[in-house]
Each structure stands twice: as C-alpha cells, then as structure tokens.
C-alpha cells in the first residue's frame, strides 16, 4: 500500500526537481536572444528560486514566426480531426502523469498549497484538455437554405496564431483554459505566462511535443508584461489575443489590437463578486462555510472571489458572529509544501503590501476589522485572513479588487436593495444568492449583472459552464463550447449552380 506523500516527501521532491527556465520555441527549449534573465522568488521563503529568460520583442518575433510556419504548413490544422483528438487526449494523460511536477512548479513560484494543486489545479487542467480534445471532431459548418440555383455552405476554420497572456493565480489552469481550445480548433499558440510563475508553461509545451504535437504549434515566451506581453499583443502576425489578468491591463489589449492589426481579443479580467445572503436562507452554517471558502480559498487570489458579503439585516448579526467563529481559524497560514496547509503566502511581498494598504484604507474609512488584518510570524509574504464588518458599498474595500483574503460584510435590507448594491460595481464576473424562496432566486438570476450566478452554492461548475464577465470583468467566455468557437472563424462559400 502506498501512502500519500507528506511534507518531507514534497520537500525532497522539490529539492530534486529539475526544470527548464528559458523559452520554448519550435519544439525546443531555447535561451532569450538577448541572454537576459530575471529572478523568480519563492514567496514562502522570499528567497530566489531561479533565474528565467527575460524575453524581448525579438523572442516574440521568433515564436510568432514559428507558430506561423507551423500554421501555414497545415501540419496541425489540416490533420484529420480525430488525429488531433488523439494527440490532445494523450497530452491530457501526460499532464496527469506529471501532476506532481506541475504541482511543485506552481507551488514553488506562487505559494499555492500543494494540496490545492493536486486536488484542484492539475485535475481541472487535465479535464480542460480532455474536454477540448473530445471536441476536435465536433466542429461543424452548415449548409444554408438557398434557392436551387446555388449551394451555400459555411466552413469553420482556425484563426492562425493565437497569443495567450495569463496571470499567476492559477498558472497551469488559466493557461489550459486558453491553450486547450486554441489547439483543439487547429491554431498555433504563443503562450506568455506571468513573470511570477513562468515554469509550468514550459513543461506544458514540452509535453505537447512528447504527446505527438508538431514542433512550432505550441510556443512559450517568458518575460515581463511590457517586454513580452505588449509586443505579442501588438504583433501584426498574431490573429487573436486571449488574455486573463487585471482589468487595467485588459483594457490595454484592446488598444494594442487597434494599434496593430485589429486582432480579436478575449478578456477575462477582475471581479468584486457579491454573495447575497437573504434572511430565509435556511442552513446558515452551510452558507457561512461557502462564504468563508469563497473569499479565503487560494489566499483570496481568485478572480471570482466572493469578496462582498451582502447580508440581509434580520440575520446580519448572527451571520457575522458565525463567520467569525468558523472563519477565524478555518485557513491557517503554513508551509505550502505541507499537504495539510490550506493558506500559503501571497504571491509576492509587493502584492502583500498592496493588500495591506487596502486593509489600512478600510480601517481609515470606518470599517471594523473583526479578525485578521495582520501578518503571521512566518518568513514568507503571508497575511492572515481578514473580515471587515460595518462596510458600505462606497468604501474602497467594497469597490476595488483586493485579490487577497479580505472579506467585506455589508448589511442590506431585503432582495431589492441587495440587487442594487450587488450591481453597483464596475465588475460583473460572478455572484451568488442564498435563499429558500424560488421567486427570489430566479429574480436574482434575472437581475444580477454578472456572467456566472450561483444559487445556494458558490464556485460550483464544470467544463460545460461558460465562464466570463459582464461589464469590466471582460468579454468572451472560457471553458464551454462557446469558447472553442471563439478560436475559429466562419468562411461563407457560395457555389453558383445555374
Ligand atoms: P496582470 O494584468 O498584471 O497580468 C496578467 C498578464 O498580463 C501577465 O502575464 C503580465 O505579465 C501581462 N502584462 C502585464 N502588463 C502587460 C502589458 N502592458 N502588456 C501586455 N501584457 C502585460 O494580472 P495579474 O496580477 O497577473 O493577475 C491578477 C488579475 O487577473 C486579477 O485582476 C484577477 O481578477 C485576474 N484574473 C481573472 C480571471 C478570469 O477568469 N476572469 C482569472 C484569473 C485571474
């Protein structure tokens, strides 16, 4: 019988781990043309982890040219769809086989607990590739109803070279959400990982080739946003940018597209998701558990984190008291390589400083810290989970995305006011409503301005669920069939028969 690896096993594996640190272009690990490097720091220790190739526009040109050559040759897009399906299925299995390596790479770079990597990120990345692999031979065109002197049909074709720019909070999984549908549709890809978490992308690209993917179809360029992301998004030979990250940088993607070749842009950006708890919610403990996990999971570094708790006045006092009781110690900062840890450090010391500045702002603007707000006595960039009560929706902590384990409890007077407060936000990624009343639930679904609504749960879903934002949370959808189609374009063929 083999037992699950413990903390010392993960530390030993981390010590023995070998990984690439360059770019991956044309099926090979390569150095940056300018030979420059930047340092990646392990946030759990604040010690340097490795030096990684710092790309420039010259590296981007090289990767895009490689992707373009592969696309023009037809080696991937013209493969029989079943063959693409088989390669991508093999690829999903390879990712699963290398789960431990992926787990370690993301944990070491961005501090996510290894238990979360093994239970959430890696299995969901495998599901993502499996789901889109299975769609390879289900991309269909159409024949339209024309007069008898013509045959008109619509073909669905890949776009060309897709640039994928992703953040650090789920490095493997966010990359998978972009790369899998792009490849399944027959495109070439140039992936630019976040500079905080550049390593798992290189292993992803390497395994694609090992699975039988043609060299040049999947390339990775590492480096900083301005140095690599911008030239990729400005590139005249890139047909689409699939971006996940902040709203601020997302807006720049639209500018880059306008300044270059009108490439397509899909944006998955930030959020400030409300969770509405109505007085008739029923099982309060269950709702409180979801509220706690919805904001403290993944250190609160989640785009759809349920950061605004909108609590109906009749239950507000009891709800907050229960949140304090259950939430104060639910997430304990610890070594992310210990599988029992559920709260790692924040991604960098500077990100922690940013989150702390929001906590100070909350205090100054009159909100009350019920627990947390301070740092544990650990060497990394840790922060204790924090609950604010007495928050109004006008306060900075209720309006801006903090991207840390900070919950803001706002009292509301019934469904109507809850919906008004929920929608009073520039964001619209996700929202939830807790109620036993069918009418209230459906009214909330109808009136909440968000791309994803949960009723009596939070953060549930699977690959069939479109994921994406209303308003400044973005445009476009990840995961679902709609996402696959967004990596294709239609061609209309009119055949004269007269
Ligand atoms: P970010 O916007 O700072 O960076 C995202 C990516 O863009 C990185 O790869 C970065 O290097 C690159 N980049 C930065 N500046 C650039 C520029 N000028 N030109 C081109 N590329 C540039 O975001 P982050 O801090 O890495 O991630 C956190 C953000 O991501 C949060 O706002 C979060 O809500 C969002 N996010 C959204 C989703 C979603 O599905 N909606 C999922 C995860 C994260």
């Amino acid at each position: 019988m083999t037992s699950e690896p413990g903390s010392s096993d993960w530390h030993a594996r981390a010590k023995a781990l070998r990984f690439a640190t360059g770019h991956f272009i044309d099926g090979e690990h390569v150095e940056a043309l300018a030979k420059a490097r930047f340092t990646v720091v392990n946030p759990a220790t604040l010690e340097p982890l490795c030096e990684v190739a710092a790309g420039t526009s010259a590296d981007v040109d090289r990767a895009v040219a490689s992707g373009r050559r592969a696309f023009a040759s037809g080696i991937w897009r013209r493969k029989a769809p079943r063959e693409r399906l088989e390669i991508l299925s093999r690829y999903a299995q390879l990712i699963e086989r290398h789960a431990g390596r992926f787990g370690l790479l993301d944990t070491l770079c961005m501090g996510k607990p290894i238990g979360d990597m093994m239970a959430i990120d890696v299995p969901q990345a495998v599901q993502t590739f499996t789901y889109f692999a299975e769609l390879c031979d289900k991309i269909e065109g159409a024949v339209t109803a024309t007069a008898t002197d013509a045959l008109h049909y619509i073909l669905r074709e890949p776009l060309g070279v897709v640039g994928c720019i992703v953040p650090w909070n789920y490095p493997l999984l966010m990359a998978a959400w972009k790369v899998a549908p792009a490849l399944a549709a027959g495109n070439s890809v140039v992936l630019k990982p976040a500079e905080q978490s550049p390593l798992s992308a290189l292993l992803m690209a390497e395994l694609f080739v090992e699975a039988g993917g043609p060299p040049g179809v999947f390339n990775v360029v590492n480096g900083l946003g301005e140095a690599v992301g911008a030239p990729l998004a400005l590139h005249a030979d890139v047909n689409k940018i699939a971006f996940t990250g902040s709203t601020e940088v997302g807006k720049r993607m639209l500018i880059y597209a306008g300044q270059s070749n009108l490439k397509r842009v899909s944006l998955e950006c930030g959020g400030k998701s409300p969770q509405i708890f109505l007085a008739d919610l029923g099982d309060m403990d269950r709702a409180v558990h979801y509220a706690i996990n919805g904001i403290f999971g993944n250190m609160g570094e989640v785009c759809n984190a349920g950061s605004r708790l909108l609590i109906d006045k009749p239950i507000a006092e009891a709800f907050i008291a229960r949140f304090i009781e259950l939430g104060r110690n639910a997430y304990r900062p610890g070594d992310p390589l210990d599988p029992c840890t559920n709260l790692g450090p924040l991604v960098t010391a500077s990100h922690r400083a940013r989150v702390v500045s929001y906590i100070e702002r909350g205090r100054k603007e009159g909100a009350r810290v019920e627990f947390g707000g301070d740092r544990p006595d650990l060497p990394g960039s840790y922060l204790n989970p924090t609950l604010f009560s007495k928050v109004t929706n006008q306060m900075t902590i209720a309006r801006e995305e903090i991207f840390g384990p900070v919950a803001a409890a706002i009292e509301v007077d019934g469904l109507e006011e809850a919906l008004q407060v929920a929608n009073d936000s520039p964001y619209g990624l996700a929202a939830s409503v807790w109620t036993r009343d069918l009418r209230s639930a459906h009214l909330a679904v109808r009136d909440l301005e968000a791309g994803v609504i949960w009723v009596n749960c939070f953060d549930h879903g699977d690959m069939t669920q479109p994921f994406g934002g209303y308003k400044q949370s973005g445009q476009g959808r990840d995961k679902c069939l709609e996402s696959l189609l967004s990596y294709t374009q239609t061609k209309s063929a009119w055949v004269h028969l007269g």
Side-chain angles (χ1 to χ4, degrees):
M1 208 177 86
T2 53
S3 57
E4 290 295 310
S7 167
S8 54
D9 301 309
W10 283 113
H11 274 278
R13 284 195 200 180
K15 226 175 183 172
L17 187 68
R18 296 285 165 269
F19 48 83
T21 57
H23 306 316
F24 192 86
I25 299 176
D26 235 351
E28 287 179 1
H29 291 286
V30 296
E31 273 310 305
L33 289 168
K35 307 274 182 248
R37 299 206 145 234
F38 66 94
T39 306
V40 178
V41 171
N42 178 346
T45 59
L46 293 181
E47 282 166 11
L49 176 68
C50 60
E51 302 275 309
V52 172
T56 61
S57 59
D59 300 292
V60 172
D61 287 346
R62 199 172 157 200
V64 172
S66 161
R68 177 59 57 191
R69 269 195 309 277
F71 190 76
S73 75
I75 194 166
W76 181 244
R77 73 180 156 127
R78 297 233 161 101
K79 227 178 236 327
R82 271 219 80 79
E83 265 185 71
R84 279 211 307 274
L85 182 158
E86 278 158 21
I87 291 170
L88 287 179
S89 303
R90 254 200 317 274
Y91 182 33
Q93 287 161 13
L94 267 180
I95 293 175
E96 193 164 30
R97 206 175 307 151
H98 289 270
R101 284 173 79 192
F102 280 112
L104 282 170
L105 292 174
D106 283 356
T107 292
L108 291 172
C109 287
M110 56 72 66
K112 187 192 297 270
I114 191 77
D116 287 3
M117 278 305 301
M118 301 309 285
I120 301 168
D121 295 49
V122 179
Q124 290 193 10
V126 172
Q127 269 170 29
T128 304
F129 277 102
T130 306
Y131 175 82
F132 286 108
E134 287 165 356
L135 288 176
C136 282
D137 61 355
K138 291 156 196 83
I139 302 172
E140 293 181 343
V143 176
T144 65
T146 50
T148 52
D149 65 347
L151 169 67
H152 173 236
Y153 58 96
I154 299 169
L155 293 169
R156 224 168 237 289
E157 300 190 328
L159 299 170
V161 178
V162 176
C164 305
I165 302 181
V166 296
W168 45 261
N169 63 337
Y170 291 84
L172 168 67
L173 186 58
M174 290 303 99
W177 282 9
K178 309 293 186 203
V179 171
L183 291 177
N187 298 284
S188 297
V189 164
V190 177
L191 169 64
K192 187 255 179 263
E195 51 272 34
Q196 297 84 350
S197 54
L199 304 181
S200 54
L202 292 167
L203 180 57
M204 275 177 91
E206 182 186 312
L207 294 182
F208 175 70
V209 175
E210 196 178 319
V217 170
F218 183 178
N219 306 280
V220 175
V221 182
N222 271 311
L224 307 185
E226 288 284 351
V228 172
L232 184 61
L234 280 163
H235 207 290
D237 208 19
V238 169
N239 303 89
K240 167 169 174 152
I241 286 291
F243 172 83
T244 300
S246 61
T247 294
E248 186 192 341
V249 178
K251 287 180 180 178
R252 286 197 216 160
M253 297 298 143
L254 295 170
I255 296 172
Y256 295 148
Q259 283 173 339
S260 53
N261 59 345
L262 273 190
K263 57 178 66 66
R264 288 165 193 230
V265 177
S266 67
L267 302 171
E268 296 287 357
C269 299
K272 194 74 197 173
S273 300
Q275 295 207 63
I276 298 174
F277 301 96
L278 294 179
D280 67 350
L281 56 65
D283 185 345
M284 183 175 295
D285 273 7
R286 186 166 177 273
V288 169
H289 274 295
Y290 271 85
I292 292 166
N293 295 335
I295 181 59
F296 296 154
N298 206 50
M299 292 73 74
E301 294 167 333
V302 183
C303 51
N304 62 270
S307 49
R308 286 188 297 151
L309 312 176
L310 311 189
I311 312 165
D312 215 352
K313 281 195 174 134
I315 59 163
E317 201 182 321
F319 189 99
I320 291 170
R322 202 70 181 125
F323 192 109
I324 294 169
E325 205 177 330
L326 298 175
R328 188 194 287 281
N329 293 315
Y331 282 78
R332 290 169 177 271
D335 173 11
L337 286 176
D338 181 341
C340 297
T341 294
N342 63 1
L343 193 87
L346 295 182
V347 65
T348 57
S350 63
H351 183 56
R352 176 178 59 186
R354 186 170 172 270
V355 176
V356 167
S357 76
Y358 275 115
I359 293 174
E360 281 161 10
R361 197 86 181 261
R363 281 195 174 108
K364 259 191 215 135
E365 290 179 15
R368 184 161 83 200
V369 175
E370 295 288 357
F371 62 76
D374 55 345
R375 296 153 53 158
D377 190 16
L378 289 168
S381 49
Y382 289 89
L383 183 73
N384 283 321
T386 303
L387 171 67
F388 274 104
S389 66
K390 311 277 175 223
V391 180
T392 71
N393 204 46
Q394 305 320 315
M395 290 180 187
T396 311
I397 56 168
R399 302 211 73 76
E400 295 185 17
E401 185 184 42
I402 299 177
F403 225 56
V406 182
I410 302 171
E411 294 184 25
V412 291
D413 202 359
L415 178 64
E416 202 177 316
E417 193 189 13
L419 293 173
Q420 182 266 319
V421 173
N423 289 337
D424 177 19
S425 168
Y427 295 111
L429 185 55
S432 80
V433 60
W434 291 78
T435 176
R436 275 184 303 178
D437 181 62
L438 197 59
R439 184 169 175 274
S440 300
H442 284 296
L443 284 178
V445 171
R446 187 191 72 183
D447 291 343
L448 281 167
E449 295 164 359
V452 183
I453 314 287
W454 288 290
V455 178
N456 294 333
C457 64
F458 193 80
D459 216 5
H460 285 195
D462 67 15
M463 287 306 300
T464 62
Q465 172 196 38
F467 188 90
Y470 277 29
K471 302 196 277 189
Q472 293 189 38
S473 288
Q475 41 181 272
R477 296 292 180 262
D478 278 330
K479 291 167 91 175
C480 58
L481 181 58
E482 182 185 341
S483 155
L484 178 77
L485 298 182
S486 76
Y487 292 89
T488 67
Q489 56 196 336
T490 54
K491 180 184 275 174
S492 169
W494 190 276
V495 184
H496 178 60
L497 300 176

